[in-house]
Amino acid sequence: MTDATITPTSQIPSPESTGPQQAILAGGCFWCTEAVMQQVRGVQKIESGYIGGHTPHPDYRSVCSGETGHAEAVRVTFDPQQVSYKDLLGLFFATHDPTSLNRQGADIGTQYRSAVFPVTPEQERETREVMADLDAQGVFDRPIVTSIEPATEFHVAEDYHQNYYADNSRQPYCVAVIAPKVAKLRKEYAEKLNA
């Protein structure tokens, strides 16, 4: 397993920058969030991993115990000329349940919490705006409980978690849980996706 820290703030592109930027999103199982973000035009790289906990070197087993405090998350590197951070947030909120506290479907525990880890003050502001807009519009039946947390150290997950859906699309969890999310994304947001 390789640990990678988040880019120091001094090296993160400003909102005006035209270079690649990063977003860190936790929407339950990272396999699902990764599969969704892989479809998005302008996404250059996705890493599944762990963030927001207190254990120095988490691994899948320890995170699944719920005792490390980490969330399963993805770190998305994207081209802001092709997809905006707000668009990524819109797709993120549309493809998981941000109204369930510490659970997504049958996945239960703080490791499956809905959370956003902004890497710049601008991302934090935009995250709060998007969440307030969704609540004001009544998009969901219940209030959004997604947490906004500091972008602490991001630990890249074990290799077998990377590109999981693409490599294991016939696995029962993928068929039952991930495939419907991808199908919904393709049906409702085709204009934002890769051909």
Side-chain angles (χ1 to χ4, degrees):
M1 177 171 77
T2 307
D3 280 352
T5 57
I6 189 152
T7 307
T9 305
S10 61
Q11 296 175 20
I12 294 173
S14 68
E16 297 79 30
S17 170
T18 57
Q21 295 181 21
Q22 291 184 337
I24 302 177
L25 308 168
C29 173
F30 48 27
W31 300 338
C32 295
T33 312
E34 177 195 61
V36 165
M37 291 296 153
Q38 283 178 328
Q39 311 293 317
V40 180
R41 187 182 308 115
V43 168
Q44 299 173 334
K45 181 179 180 182
I46 304 170
E47 297 164 288
S48 290
Y50 317 111
I51 189 170
H54 50 77
T55 302
H57 302 287
D59 60 17
Y60 187 62
R61 179 176 287 176
S62 65
V63 171
C64 283
S65 75
E67 296 181 11
T68 71
H70 291 87
E72 289 191 13
V74 296
R75 179 166 57 186
V76 180
T77 302
F78 65 99
D79 177 357
Q81 299 300 305
Q82 295 186 63
V83 61
S84 70
Y85 178 71
K86 277 192 167 181
D87 281 343
L88 286 178
L89 286 177
L91 296 170
F92 168 70
F93 283 112
T95 53
H96 83 289
D97 180 2
T99 69
S100 290
L101 186 62
N102 299 329
R103 98 178 274 164
Q104 289 295 305
D107 295 328
I108 301 171
T110 58
Q111 67 272 31
Y112 301 115
R113 66 188 178 270
S114 175
V116 177
F117 299 83
V119 299
T120 65
E122 177 71 8
Q123 283 191 1
E124 181 172 351
R125 183 186 63 74
E126 290 186 351
T127 302
R128 292 186 187 284
E129 287 176 359
V130 167
M131 290 170 59
D133 287 348
L134 291 171
D135 271 338
Q137 294 173 33
V139 171
F140 301 103
D141 293 339
R142 296 173 296 173
I144 292 172
V145 296
T146 302
S147 58
I148 300 174
E149 303 180 31
T152 55
E153 185 173 10
F154 184 91
H155 303 270
V156 176
E158 297 85 346
D159 287 347
Y160 70 93
H161 290 299
Q162 311 303 325
N163 205 39
Y164 192 86
Y165 177 66
D167 293 342
N168 300 279
S169 61
R170 294 181 188 271
Q171 193 251 21
Y173 182 92
C174 292
V175 171
V177 178
I178 304 176
K181 290 177 186 256
V182 172
K184 175 184 178 183
L185 185 77
R186 289 222 159 265
K187 179 180 178 185
E188 297 180 13
Y189 302 97
E191 74 284 357
K192 297 187 185 304
L193 307 181
N194 294 314

